[in-house]
């Protein structure tokens, strides 16, 4: 008997991420989400079983790549895309049925890295056997290294950002404990929860994100402002923006980012996902492995350097925010989102 699973529109809301890679949003979700709903209704499949399925199909893709001939390359590209669809479906099924696990997340990550490594060796090894060109061996090493670099860098940046936020929260909590004020919020979290917000043009959607007044301003107006207004201010979180300097230097990027988020596409346009698709799908499909691998790798590096630069600017905002707590005559640095 089919399980009680909500309609497709509700399944999309539950399973699809608020922002994702453009390849996933445009070429995977339209297929993966209905399949996940069907699987959840009519089978007892688990997320880990889908993870294993994605891995095995990925190995089949590698076997095709190893043959070297274009027809095998095309079949390998198709299988790699199918493997990636299954790879996205395991997380969706976990969110829909509540059957996710910590071990499943680990298994998914490890299988992804193994799949990339095996497919890199198979694809470039097959081309080396066909052409006897040593360039393909170097490309195999480059693809595996860039994939590892991307995910190691992502993990380290996450840890640094988490550490900065943790320190700011601790300082703000200590500073506001006596005043019984609300905790702070981070601009990036508010924008993530409200991707329709436009910092520059849409006042109505940004208004709920407006931070409270500074602590000094609140104290100065306490004698004249109504008690209800003061209480309302204290119940609203101050907003700390660790990307102020980046937005000042690149104001055009805010508009691009808002446009992309309205379509669920994250601003990091060439990530590990797009890199893999360029190497293992587009390149083999058009029989241009070298060109697409070089272009995909170069674009990945450009976007990774942009993220590192953004992190550098964010650390400067972090330093100014921390300094504002340590200077008695200054108030914590918050940002206003009013136009």
């Amino acid at each position: 008997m089919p399980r009680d699973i909500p309609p497709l529109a509700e399944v999309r809301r539950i399973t699809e991420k608020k922002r994702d890679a453009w390849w996933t949003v445009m070429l995977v979700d339209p297929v993966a989400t209905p399949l996940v709903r069907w699987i959840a209704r009519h089978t007892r499949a688990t997320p880990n079983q889908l993870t294993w399925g994605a891995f095995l199909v990925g190995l089949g893709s590698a076997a095709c790549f190893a043959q070297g001939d274009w027809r095998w390359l095309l079949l390998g590209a198709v299988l790699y895309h199918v493997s990636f669809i299954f790879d996205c479906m395991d997380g969706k099924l976990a969110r829909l049925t509540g059957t996710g696990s910590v071990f499943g997340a680990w298994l998914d990550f490890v299988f992804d890295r193994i799949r990339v490594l095996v497919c890199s060796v198979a694809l470039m090894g097959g081309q080396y056997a066909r052409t006897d060109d040593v360039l393909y061996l170097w490309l195999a090493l480059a693809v595996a290294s860039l994939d590892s670099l991307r995910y190691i860098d992502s993990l380290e940046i996450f840890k640094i950002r988490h550490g900065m936020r943790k320190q700011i929260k601790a300082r703000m909590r200590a500073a506001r404990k006596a005043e019984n004020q609300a905790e702070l919020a981070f601009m990036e979290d508010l924008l993530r929860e409200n991707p329709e917000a436009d910092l520059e043009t849409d006042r109505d959607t940004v208004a709920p994100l407006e931070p409270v007044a500074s602590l000094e301003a609140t104290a100065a107006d306490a004698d004249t402002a109504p008690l209800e207004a003061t209480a309302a201010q204290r119940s609203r979180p101050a907003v700390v923006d660790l990307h102020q300097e980046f937005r000042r230097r690149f104001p055009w990027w805010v508009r691009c980012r808002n446009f992309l988020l309205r379509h669920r596409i994250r601003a990091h346009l060439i990530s590990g996902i797009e890199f893999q698709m360029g190497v293992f799908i587009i390149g083999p499909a058009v029989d241009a492995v070298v060109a697409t691998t070089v272009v995909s790798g170069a674009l990945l590096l450009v976007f990774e350097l942009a993220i590192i630069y953004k992190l550098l600017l964010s650390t400067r905002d972090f330093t100014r925010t921390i300094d504002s707590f340590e200077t008695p005559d200054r108030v914590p640095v918050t940002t206003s989102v009013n136009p």
Side-chain angles (χ1 to χ4, degrees), residues 124-125 127-139 290:
M124 302 307 173
Q127 294 305 296
Y128 172 73
R130 184 173 66 88
T131 64
D132 203 31
D133 188 346
V134 72
L135 173 63
Y136 289 103
L137 300 182
W138 288 107
L139 286 178
V290 173

Side-chain angles (χ1 to χ4, degrees), residues 153-170:
D153 185 46
S154 175
L155 178 60
E156 288 302 312
I157 288 178
F158 173 81
K159 289 168 60 178
I160 290 173
R161 286 178 174 171
H162 178 75
M164 291 192 300
R165 292 158 64 99
K166 187 175 181 180
Q167 289 187 53
I168 291 174
K169 285 182 178 181

Side-chain angles (χ1 to χ4, degrees), residues 292-304:
T292 54
T293 299
V294 171
V295 171
S296 298
L299 289 174
L300 177 69
L301 285 176
V302 167
F303 274 83
E304 287 305 303

Side-chain angles (χ1 to χ4, degrees), residues 218 221-234:
T218 302
D221 296 339
D223 294 335
T224 58
L227 293 178
E228 293 81 0
T230 302
Q233 281 186 327
R234 290 181 176 179

